[in-house]
Amino acid sequence: MEGYDHKKNRKKKSLDRKRKMDPSMMEPFPELSDFLDSYREQYESVFDASSESWRIKTYGRICLVSDYVLGLSTGSGPATAVTTLAEELHESGFDVTILYTGYPIHKPPDVEFWVGYYTAKGIHVVALPETGVSYDVPIDVAIAHRVFMWMNDQQWYDCVHFLDNRGRGYFALTAKKQALAFKHTEFVVHAQQPHLWHKTNSLQTLDTLHDLVIDHLEKEQMKMADHIVAPSQYILKWFIEQGWEWNRTKSTRVHTNPLPKWVKSKNKIAHEASTINEIVFFSRFELRKGIVLFCDAMDQLALRGDTQIMQNVRVTFLGHLSNSAEEKLTIKGGARARVDQYIRQRAKKWLFHWQILKDMDVKQRYEYLQEGNMNNKLVVLPSLLENAPYTLVECLVMGIPVVASDVGSAREFIDNDDAERVLFVPTPKPLAGKIRDILKNGFVPGKSKIKQDVEKDWTIWQHHLVHQSKDSSNSMSTLQTWEEPLVTVIVVTYNNPKLLKQALQSIYEQEYTKVEVVLIDDGSTLPEAQAYLREIDAEFKRKGWVYLQQDNRGPGAARNNGAKHAKGEFIMFMDDDNFAKPKEIATFVSVAMHTKADVLTCTNEYFYGLELPGNRPPIGRWVPLGAATTVGMFQNLYGDTNAMIRRKVFLDLGGFPEDYGYALEDWELFSKSVLGGYKLESIPSPLYWYRIRDTSHSHETAKYGNAARTIRPYLRQIPQKLHHIVLFAQGMKDSHDVAAGQLEEQNGQMRDVRKMLKTLATSLNDLCDDGLIPTTAKNEVKNSQFDLNEDDPSIVESPSYERLEEKNKRFKSWFPFADGYNIDKRNGRISESSSDTRALRMQNPDWKDARGAVQEVHLHQKEPSAVIISGWSKARDVSGAPDGGYSIYADIKFIDGKMMYGYSVSFDVGTHTWQFKAGVIDPIVGIESITVYAMFRWHAGTAWFDDITVSSLKEGLCDYTKLTLEGLGPDKGNGGKIGPGGTRDEL
């Protein structure tokens, strides 16, 4: 072609492809504020205080679906974003509901309080209701499906917002895509904190199949969303780098999360430098939040000749401390410890003053930072990666001195003139250098780049979305029409006449009528089965249906045989013991026509028994994910055999594998179809009943033989030299499943042992109560319940005794260990065996502190006899891991003069109500004496001790039995508020 430069055109196409794949070359995503410029005038009247033209019913109904709500979850960025948006939209006249989806996992005890709190503010908060149905799928799949079921039962919303994390909207969006529901609802996904972004940037491994499940939920939710909004350009570019696919030309916008009103009310721009005398690590105590980096920088300041500059400076750690095993860090000696314990280990090198403050709510944290209205505290945010750093933005808006890692989206929120002063390279030396410079020269707080009308733009956008929703509902929708295709239902049966009759009945009752049935008898041998098949042969002939007989070759070969005789455009496979719901085929066909799917699977509901399911509630539910290829390598979440497939596609794929004794042929077929480029859709609506039977084919075949076959479609997709990697991954998954099963079995055995122990103790206690076992027990510990008025005479005789602080009082029988103990007169354990209200209390501000009470107990055993040592304790914010530092501790002296040091019965750490622990010493030499301690060292926090006993097991069996029953507590959980003794225990 004249004048056409092919070489130049090839370069242009190559550059376009590169721009598409390389985020650094991409054009920025459009800002929401720019998009709304053309709509501002239209909605300006909404913000006129005197305007009455819009009211709640006109504005529309909004639902925000979130695991994070302030009050019900920790004060994280997502919780602040969701709650603030809900409040803003309500105050702007929308009817707002928050569906709290964190309840099934966290089950906060104060849900009712917070529901009432938000109701008083005009916002409906609904904790995702329990369904009474057990889900046979990973928990995040179950929660997403429960969200779909709940939403499907509500009056429809104009607009629904989902966070990207964990894909709570997956099935709701799937239903809309399949034209099953929510036709006039606008779905918004907030791209903020995807699971793999969080996990990989926290330097955590992908160590469970659940990671892949969540990743699939999130990716597909984003692909199906009507609108995507992100707080930064950075996170959208991250999605592209990771290969996420979505229609980027549709409504993908960037807009800052709304700021709480109390933050905006403290808006301040500082012009003068502040002198800093406190450095505050101000974030969650997590690896991703830079706790290790911060400690490394403190080492730099402690070891690099900075003694003088740090002399009058305090270092503070303020934030949420997680008890998650994933958030534990390695300390000296290789042990895994909570982050507070890790900080204490690191702080041994620091000469400056430091402290860990107990976490506060969000407002209290900022009040601490602004104490005395002096900007003398420097907030340090050393995150390894951030997306929408609420803390950074809030500090900038309120004029609080803050420095932050130059990572992720941080630069997008800081005024261009201040970015270099505020940001630092996230390694120890630059951070230490930044702090050193600020301590020498002072610091002028940076300014925010956030626009003042952020919240107004959120409101305008919601009006625009609601109008889109209402326009679609008011317009005459174009109905899709198609010629109804013939569907061939293939049923394989083997020695199952009664259940086959029910399965065929469910086909007769289908709402979709353009159906033919092909029935294959896979070599039935029972006389009653053969008789029933002869009976229905004539009926099949009248209907023009097909009945085939073959030698027993297994279900895969039988279904393939049936497919050869099928005439339908679609084939639906059905087991002879399942029962189709009336809309099953009609729904399959409708979704196939709407989505152009080649393969369709669906949710099923479980039931037991040989009778028809009727109207009974299901005992369980299985929800497949659809085309989840990464998950499908390890577990079948594609769907069940009860599926529909285009006949041509089925034949092109070669049908089911025909290996005899192979039970997972459906899994392999689905894998082949998806990996072969065919479209698989899974319908979230339950379309059939799945009968649970012990004689299921999959229960009777070899697990590992099945697994080796299901992996075959994946191996065909990759080079031979990489096959061993896939097989290794599959083997590791199987090993993980075996280990998890063994752990669950051990836990079950422990539960059984606990029940047996409780039964035995109950029986012994009954014998004791009936006087059939001698009850001459003697507790050798003096004043074991701290109920005797035996204060130390040397103190009592002091004229000022009554005015003494509790810490200066002590019992004569109990000597102080290290820094001693306090007598707490009000918080003792109250129970059948303990009626006094006094206890010992020990509080360690620092883990290096040590406190305790000690008493020497003389036994003078002539012959060895088993001894019980037991006691009760409760705890508040006790750090570290269980060990002898927080325990009933004993040094034992034997009659031959030898000693055994350090016997201990340890208590749990953290916060707990009264807890009973006991140990039995079974000596081979008689015991002369036991020095028993109520011990509290190597841990920070507060601990109480009560009812400490040392007694002979033989003589004290009844007392020990009673204590054991109290210690085992009730069979069911009591929320941690009622102690085993039956009294409310407020820590």
Side-chain angles (χ1 to χ4, degrees):
M1 182 184 298
E2 185 178 352
Y4 185 78
D5 190 337
H6 290 276
K7 185 175 181 181
K8 184 177 180 179
N9 186 58
R10 283 196 300 271
K11 284 185 177 179
K12 181 179 182 300
K13 287 183 177 180
S14 175
L15 186 61
D16 288 343
R17 282 195 300 270
K18 193 171 183 181
R19 282 197 180 112
K20 187 176 181 180
M21 298 304 296
D22 185 356
S24 65
M25 299 184 66
M26 285 181 51
E27 292 292 327
F29 284 90
E31 298 284 337
L32 180 63
S33 57
D34 296 335
F35 166 75
L36 293 175
D37 282 344
S38 59
Y39 297 96
R40 294 186 193 283
E41 186 175 347
Q42 177 183 350
Y43 295 110
E44 198 59 43
S45 62
V46 173
F47 302 98
D48 182 356
S50 63
S51 173
E52 296 293 332
S53 59
W54 298 82
R55 288 295 86 194
I56 289 177
K57 290 183 180 179
T58 307
Y59 281 180
R61 303 179 71 239
I62 308 292
C63 181
L64 294 91
V65 182
S66 175
D67 284 15
Y68 311 99
V69 180
L70 287 180
L72 290 167
S73 54
T74 57
S76 63
T80 303
V82 167
T83 309
T84 304
L85 180 58
E87 291 173 346
E88 289 288 342
L89 295 180
H90 165 69
E91 291 178 9
S92 298
F94 292 95
D95 184 357
V96 179
T97 297
I98 299 177
L99 178 61
Y100 173 55
T101 49
Y103 183 75
I105 298 175
H106 306 296
K107 289 185 169 49
D110 47 1
V111 169
E112 289 186 8
F113 169 82
W114 288 106
V115 168
Y117 171 83
Y118 284 108
T119 299
K121 298 178 71 130
I123 297 171
H124 316 292
V125 172
V126 179
L128 183 64
E130 298 288 348
T131 63
V133 178
S134 173
Y135 276 82
D136 190 17
V137 288
I139 186 168
D140 286 291
V141 178
I143 292 174
H145 193 262
R146 286 169 56 186
V147 168
F148 156 68
M149 299 288 278
W150 179 85
M151 288 184 60
N152 209 24
D153 288 339
Q154 309 304 306
Q155 178 187 346
W156 59 273
Y157 290 97
D158 297 293
C159 184
V160 179
H161 294 255
F162 294 103
L163 301 189
D164 57 354
N165 189 254
R166 297 186 175 267
R168 301 305 191 212
Y170 175 81
F171 290 108
L173 271 71
T174 297
K176 181 174 182 179
K177 179 185 70 171
Q178 296 173 351
L180 296 175
F182 317 121
K183 184 176 181 181
H184 304 299
T185 298
E186 297 293 309
F187 285 119
V188 180
V189 171
H190 293 243
Q192 294 198 9
Q193 191 173 302
H195 178 70
L196 291 195
W197 177 86
H198 178 272
K199 195 154 191 180
T200 55
N201 290 308
S202 298
L203 305 182
Q204 298 173 10
T205 58
L206 307 185
D207 54 356
T208 69
L209 184 65
H210 206 162
D211 292 320
L212 302 182
V213 169
I214 296 171
D215 185 54
H216 178 79
L217 292 171
E218 293 175 349
K219 284 179 176 176
E220 294 301 308
Q221 174 182 257
M222 189 160 168
K223 185 187 293 187
M224 295 183 289
D226 298 315
H227 308 273
I228 295 166
V229 63
S232 68
Q233 297 283 342
Y234 155 75
I235 195 65
L236 292 173
K237 292 180 179 180
W238 182 89
F239 288 127
I240 295 170
E241 287 174 347
Q242 300 301 310
W244 286 43
E245 297 177 356
W246 78 95
N247 184 359
R248 300 173 202 164
T249 61
K250 67 179 180 181
S251 183
T252 302
R253 314 289 179 194
V254 175
H255 196 54
T256 306
N257 290 325
L259 287 173
K261 282 192 173 182
W262 68 268
V263 173
K264 294 179 67 179
S265 69
K266 296 178 180 291
N267 187 23
K268 176 183 176 182
I269 298 178
H271 300 285
E272 297 181 358
S274 301
T275 300
I276 301 299
N277 58 27
E278 185 170 349
I279 302 164
V280 183
F281 175 89
F282 192 61
S283 193
R284 293 193 299 275
F285 290 12
E286 297 176 3
L287 183 63
R288 181 176 71 84
K289 292 296 185 178
I291 189 71
V292 175
L293 168 60
F294 184 80
C295 289
D296 289 344
M298 293 304 100
D299 285 351
Q300 295 263 334
L301 293 172
L303 302 176
R304 298 296 174 90
D306 291 312
T307 307
Q308 188 66 34
I309 200 171
M310 293 292 293
Q311 185 174 5
N312 297 314
V313 175
R314 178 169 61 187
V315 174
T316 298
F317 294 84
L318 176 57
H320 175 68
L321 174 63
S322 173
N323 283 314
S324 167
E326 292 182 338
E327 295 302 341
K328 290 189 175 181
L329 298 174
T330 304
I331 61 174
K332 189 175 180 180
R336 298 280 290 173
R338 282 198 336 179
V339 177
D340 57 338
Q341 192 172 0
Y342 171 85
I343 294 170
R344 293 183 176 96
Q345 183 77 24
R346 295 293 302 269
K348 290 179 179 180
K349 303 176 182 178
W350 306 340
L351 300 178
F352 45 80
H353 180 67
W354 64 274
Q355 61 179 348
I356 300 175
L357 294 183
K358 184 179 178 181
D359 195 19
M360 315 167 186
D361 67 34
V362 177
K363 289 186 180 180
Q364 289 174 329
R365 294 175 196 165
Y366 284 106
E367 287 170 1
Y368 174 79
L369 294 177
Q370 296 179 306
E371 277 179 339
N373 202 30
M374 300 288 290
N375 276 355
N376 57 7
K377 295 182 175 73
L378 175 68
V379 170
V380 179
L381 305 174
S383 293
L384 304 183
L385 206 59
E386 276 292 2
N387 174 27
Y390 245 113
T391 304
L392 172 61
V393 174
E394 289 166 344
C395 287
L396 292 170
V397 169
M398 291 189 282
I400 296 171
V402 60
V403 293
S405 298
D406 189 5
V407 294
S409 63
R411 196 170 283 267
E412 297 182 43
F413 298 95
I414 305 171
D415 187 276
N416 294 337
D417 294 336
D418 296 329
E420 296 307 319
R421 292 191 308 104
V422 172
L423 298 174
F424 58 84
V425 177
T427 56
K429 189 173 181 180
L431 173 54
K434 176 79 73 174
I435 294 173
R436 190 182 296 114
D437 181 67
I438 291 172
L439 292 176
K440 288 179 180 178
N441 304 312
F443 187 70
V444 179
K447 298 181 291 298
S448 167
K449 196 187 287 186
I450 304 301
K451 297 178 181 179
Q452 291 297 313
D453 55 357
V454 166
E455 292 73 24
K456 186 174 181 180
D457 282 353
W458 277 105
T459 300
I460 292 174
W461 192 41
Q462 294 314 295
H463 280 294
H464 174 69
L465 295 180
V466 168
H467 278 173
Q468 281 189 308
S469 169
K470 292 187 181 299
D471 288 346
S472 68
S473 64
N474 292 332
S475 64
M476 291 296 293
S477 302
T478 303
L479 298 176
Q480 279 189 285
T481 58
W482 55 80
E483 183 180 349
E484 289 187 341
L486 176 65
V487 176
T488 301
V489 181
I490 295 178
V491 183
V492 175
T493 187
Y494 176 75
N495 284 339
N496 207 6
K498 180 175 181 179
L499 302 186
L500 172 62
K501 184 176 183 179
Q502 296 177 12
L504 292 175
Q505 176 186 335
S506 73
I507 297 173
Y508 301 153
E509 295 172 351
Q510 288 296 297
E511 294 181 3
Y512 191 86
T513 57
K514 200 169 181 180
V515 172
E516 68 164 0
V517 178
V518 175
L519 174 65
I520 305 96
D521 172 26
D522 191 30
S524 294
T525 56
L526 293 177
E528 57 268 33
Q530 293 173 346
Y532 177 67
L533 291 169
R534 285 193 298 271
E535 177 185 327
I536 65 172
D537 185 22
E539 181 182 351
F540 267 50
K541 288 177 179 176
R542 286 196 304 272
K543 292 179 176 287
W545 293 356
V546 179
Y547 165 57
L548 304 169
Q549 290 179 302
Q550 66 174 40
D551 293 334
N552 182 252
R553 294 167 52 200
R559 293 185 191 116
N560 290 344
N561 186 16
K564 294 174 185 176
H565 295 80
K567 302 185 186 73
E569 180 181 345
F570 289 93
I571 298 171
M572 191 185 96
F573 295 99
M574 183 175 179
D575 289 340
D576 64 354
D577 55 352
N578 291 339
F579 192 88
K581 296 189 176 186
K583 294 182 181 294
E584 180 178 20
I585 298 178
T587 306
F588 270 144
V589 170
S590 174
V591 173
M593 294 301 164
H594 273 98
T595 63
K596 311 302 181 189
D598 301 300
V599 184
L600 298 105
T601 63
C602 67
T603 297
N604 63 46
E605 293 184 323
Y606 297 167
F607 75 110
Y608 279 118
L610 300 179
E611 303 306 318
L612 293 170
N615 295 321
R616 72 177 81 177
I619 61 167
R621 190 174 284 143
W622 187 70
V623 187
L625 284 178
T629 52
T630 52
V631 178
M633 180 182 291
F634 305 105
Q635 181 178 341
N636 179 20
L637 284 177
Y638 291 124
D640 181 63
T641 306
N642 207 117
M644 194 171 84
I645 184 170
R646 294 180 188 271
R647 180 165 58 91
K648 182 180 184 305
V649 171
F650 182 79
L651 297 176
D652 288 346
L653 289 169
F656 288 101
E658 297 190 6
D659 311 61
Y660 189 79
Y662 178 27
L664 304 178
E665 63 281 348
D666 52 349
W667 182 358
E668 185 169 350
L669 176 69
F670 297 144
S671 296
K672 280 197 298 183
S673 66
V674 173
L675 295 173
Y678 294 105
K679 185 174 183 180
L680 186 151
E681 286 284 335
S682 188
I683 298 170
S685 303
L687 298 183
Y688 71 98
W689 289 94
Y690 182 96
R691 182 180 269 110
I692 301 294
R693 294 198 300 154
D694 293 334
T695 56
S696 168
H697 186 53
S698 59
H699 294 166
E700 298 178 341
T701 53
K703 174 182 177 182
Y704 297 106
N706 286 334
R709 292 168 175 136
T710 58
I711 201 69
R712 291 183 295 201
Y714 289 88
L715 296 177
R716 296 187 193 107
Q717 299 291 316
I718 61 175
Q720 176 70 39
K721 62 183 179 181
L722 297 180
H723 282 197
H724 63 287
I725 297 176
V726 174
L727 294 171
F728 175 75
Q730 186 189 47
M732 290 298 293
K733 162 64 168 52
D734 290 340
S735 298
H736 181 278
D737 289 348
V738 170
Q742 291 173 341
L743 179 61
E744 178 57 33
E745 182 179 358
Q746 291 172 4
N747 289 337
Q749 290 172 351
M750 289 299 296
R751 288 191 291 269
D752 291 342
V753 169
R754 182 183 183 281
K755 291 178 182 177
M756 292 170 59
L757 178 60
K758 188 166 186 179
T759 301
L760 177 61
T762 301
S763 299
L764 287 172
N765 192 57
D766 291 343
L767 293 174
C768 292
D769 290 343
D770 293 341
L772 299 178
I773 296 178
T775 57
T776 57
K778 179 184 179 184
N779 182 2
E780 303 293 346
V781 175
K782 296 178 181 178
N783 199 11
S784 64
Q785 296 182 356
F786 313 110
D787 56 347
L788 300 180
N789 187 14
E790 58 148 27
D791 298 301
D792 192 313
S794 64
I795 300 177
V796 172
E797 291 169 5
S798 168
S800 59
Y801 174 75
E802 293 300 328
R803 297 192 299 275
L804 282 178
E805 295 182 12
E806 289 294 323
K807 67 180 181 180
N808 294 321
K809 299 180 181 180
R810 67 172 184 265
F811 294 115
K812 183 169 61 176
S813 300
W814 290 93
F815 291 92
F817 168 79
D819 290 333
Y821 58 86
N822 293 349
I823 301 172
D824 190 326
K825 293 185 176 181
R826 293 174 299 180
N827 289 300
R829 192 180 73 89
I830 305 297
S831 73
E832 182 182 346
S833 60
S834 177
S835 58
D836 187 73
T837 60
R838 290 197 282 188
L840 300 186
R841 178 170 59 86
M842 303 168 199
Q843 185 172 6
N844 288 342
D846 190 276
W847 72 275
K848 292 175 283 189
D849 296 336
R851 286 173 170 75
V854 58
Q855 180 179 145
E856 186 175 12
V857 176
H858 295 278
L859 299 182
H860 306 301
Q861 289 184 349
K862 294 181 180 180
E863 298 293 334
S865 177
V867 173
I868 306 162
I869 295 181
S870 67
W872 292 78
S873 182
K874 69 176 180 177
R876 181 171 63 206
D877 298 328
V878 173
S879 66
D883 56 31
Y886 172 31
S887 66
I888 304 297
Y889 184 97
D891 294 329
I892 303 163
K893 182 178 180 180
F894 298 96
I895 58 175
D896 61 4
K898 293 182 179 180
M899 296 289 298
M900 184 178 83
Y901 295 99
Y903 177 86
S904 64
V905 182
S906 60
F907 294 96
D908 293 344
V909 296
T911 297
H912 58 75
T913 185
W914 285 108
Q915 183 180 73
F916 172 71
K917 290 295 180 80
V920 176
I921 302 169
D922 192 10
I924 58 175
V925 177
I927 297 174
E928 176 65 28
S929 64
I930 297 177
T931 303
V932 61
Y933 302 76
M935 180 71 77
F936 192 50
R937 61 180 176 179
W938 312 332
H939 298 267
T942 306
W944 289 260
F945 292 88
D946 205 350
D947 300 301
I948 298 172
T949 67
V950 174
S951 61
S952 166
L953 176 61
K954 180 179 178 181
E955 296 174 349
L957 184 60
C958 287
D959 287 343
Y960 182 60
T961 299
K962 191 177 296 293
L963 284 172
T964 299
L965 281 172
E966 290 188 46
L968 286 170
D971 289 329
K972 294 185 179 180
N974 50 26
K977 293 187 177 179
I978 306 300
T983 61
R984 184 175 180 85
D985 179 51
E986 300 290 353
L987 290 174

